[in-house]
Amino acid sequence: MNNKNKISEAELEIMKIVWERQEAVASSDIVGILKKRCGWEDTTIYTMLSKLVKKGALLREKKAVSYYSAVLSEDEYTLEQTERLIDRLFSGDSRQLVSMLVENNKISREDIHSLRQFWEDETDD
């Protein structure tokens, strides 16, 4: 696993902001959002931004203020975390995950229909 995929739950809050904007975000904007959303202190947020840059998840561009953009895509992160979940909880067997979701009514009939259609479309190629 890449180091850039090893991000904490708190650091994930920063990544979500950058992913939502889909462009470089000023550090002051990130700080403002997280102070309101999470009640974190400026220094805490700046420390996490530095850690994300060191991990390779964010790119820092210094202008009058620092701007941050994602190196790690949301899709990359989601896939890595899904694989870790399946490995950790289901011994690498994704069928067990799907079975658990179905048995506990976490997937609707419409979801199953959509998944079947997706599968058919993917396997037709």
Side-chain angles (χ1 to χ4, degrees), residues 6-108:
K6 292 182 181 180
I7 60 177
S8 69
E9 290 295 316
E11 292 167 341
L12 182 57
E13 292 300 316
I14 292 173
M15 295 303 297
K16 287 179 182 178
I17 292 168
V18 177
W19 289 331
E20 286 169 8
R21 297 280 180 96
Q22 298 181 348
E23 63 183 10
V25 184
S27 57
S28 57
D29 290 345
I30 294 170
V31 169
I33 291 168
L34 290 174
K35 283 181 85 161
K36 285 182 188 173
R37 187 184 294 172
C38 303
W40 296 339
E41 295 296 324
D42 295 20
T43 54
T44 301
I45 299 165
Y46 285 116
T47 298
M48 286 189 290
L49 284 166
S50 294
K51 285 182 179 182
L52 286 166
V53 170
K54 286 178 187 171
K55 291 178 180 184
L58 287 179
L59 177 66
R60 179 178 177 232
E61 185 180 348
K62 184 91 168 141
K63 296 181 180 176
V65 296
S66 293
Y67 284 82
Y68 293 87
S69 56
V71 174
L72 173 66
S73 75
E74 187 171 10
D75 287 344
E76 270 183 296
Y77 178 76
T78 301
L79 176 61
E80 180 70 32
Q81 293 303 306
T82 302
E83 289 172 349
R84 288 184 65 213
L85 172 80
I86 292 169
D87 288 344
R88 192 173 68 245
L89 299 179
F90 302 102
S91 302
D93 187 352
S94 59
R95 293 173 298 179
Q96 288 182 19
L97 170 63
V98 173
S99 176
M100 189 262 322
L101 293 172
V102 170
E103 289 170 2
N104 290 286
N105 298 315
K106 299 298 181 185
I107 295 181
S108 69

Side-chain angles (χ1 to χ4, degrees), residues 117-125:
Q117 186 63 49
F118 173 77
W119 181 260
E120 288 172 12
D121 291 347
E122 288 296 309
T123 55
D124 285 344
D125 294 339

